[in-house]
Amino acid sequence: MATTRTATTQWKGPLMGGAGTVSLDTSGVGTYEVSWPSRAEAANGKTSPEELIAAAHSSCYSMALSHGLAGAGTPPETVQTVANVTFQPGEGITGITLAVKARVPGLTAEAFEAAAQDAKANCPVSKALAGVDITLEADLLA
């Protein structure tokens, strides 16, 4: 069954001097300030489209990896994924690095690397971002 999630941004003013808010409407968990400086310079307590993409990618990737590992009979104890989305003004998003650390009892490093790469290739957010260079650093914790 398909689901639809909704977020709304209210923006006032021009790009450089304006500002806005983005609300996570479906969940209702919050409304966050956005601005050009928070995107292209320092965050200063505001978010950016790239940070929201990083949140989406890290959570989607963690779910995909957990699902793949469990389906192979080696469910993880923990999965922690950090997504770093790089934005270059004038160019756009120039790359994403996923760094995952997981504790998976009974799994070899080689099998973990294969599962991690499969999750990278098949997580829905990775697929949506297919035009961006996505790299992966995978670490199996003892």
Side-chain angles (χ1 to χ4, degrees):
M1 174 158 75
T3 58
T4 300
R5 301 294 183 247
T6 304
T8 302
T9 298
Q10 296 290 330
W11 188 267
K12 295 181 182 176
L15 175 63
M16 296 301 181
T21 58
V22 59
S23 63
L24 305 182
D25 300 337
T26 303
S27 64
V29 297
T31 299
Y32 306 95
E33 295 181 54
V34 295
S35 69
W36 177 255
S38 69
R39 186 177 196 184
E41 299 166 16
N44 293 321
K46 298 176 181 166
T47 194
S48 68
E50 291 72 28
E51 184 178 36
L52 297 169
I53 289 171
H57 206 174
S58 66
S59 59
C60 182
Y61 178 83
S62 291
M63 290 181 200
L65 180 57
S66 178
H67 180 67
L69 290 167
T74 53
E77 287 180 1
T78 62
V79 175
Q80 176 184 314
T81 306
V82 175
N84 292 297
V85 176
T86 302
F87 174 75
Q88 177 65 46
E91 291 182 45
I93 295 173
T94 58
I96 299 172
T97 299
L98 297 171
V100 63
K101 295 179 181 181
R103 190 173 316 282
V104 189
L107 194 66
T108 66
E110 294 79 19
F112 178 69
E113 180 67 28
Q117 291 293 341
D118 184 68
K120 177 186 151 228
N122 292 299
C123 116
V125 173
S126 289
K127 287 182 174 186
L129 298 169
V132 177
D133 181 36
I134 301 170
T135 58
L136 176 65
E137 301 164 4
D139 187 16
L140 181 62
L141 302 174

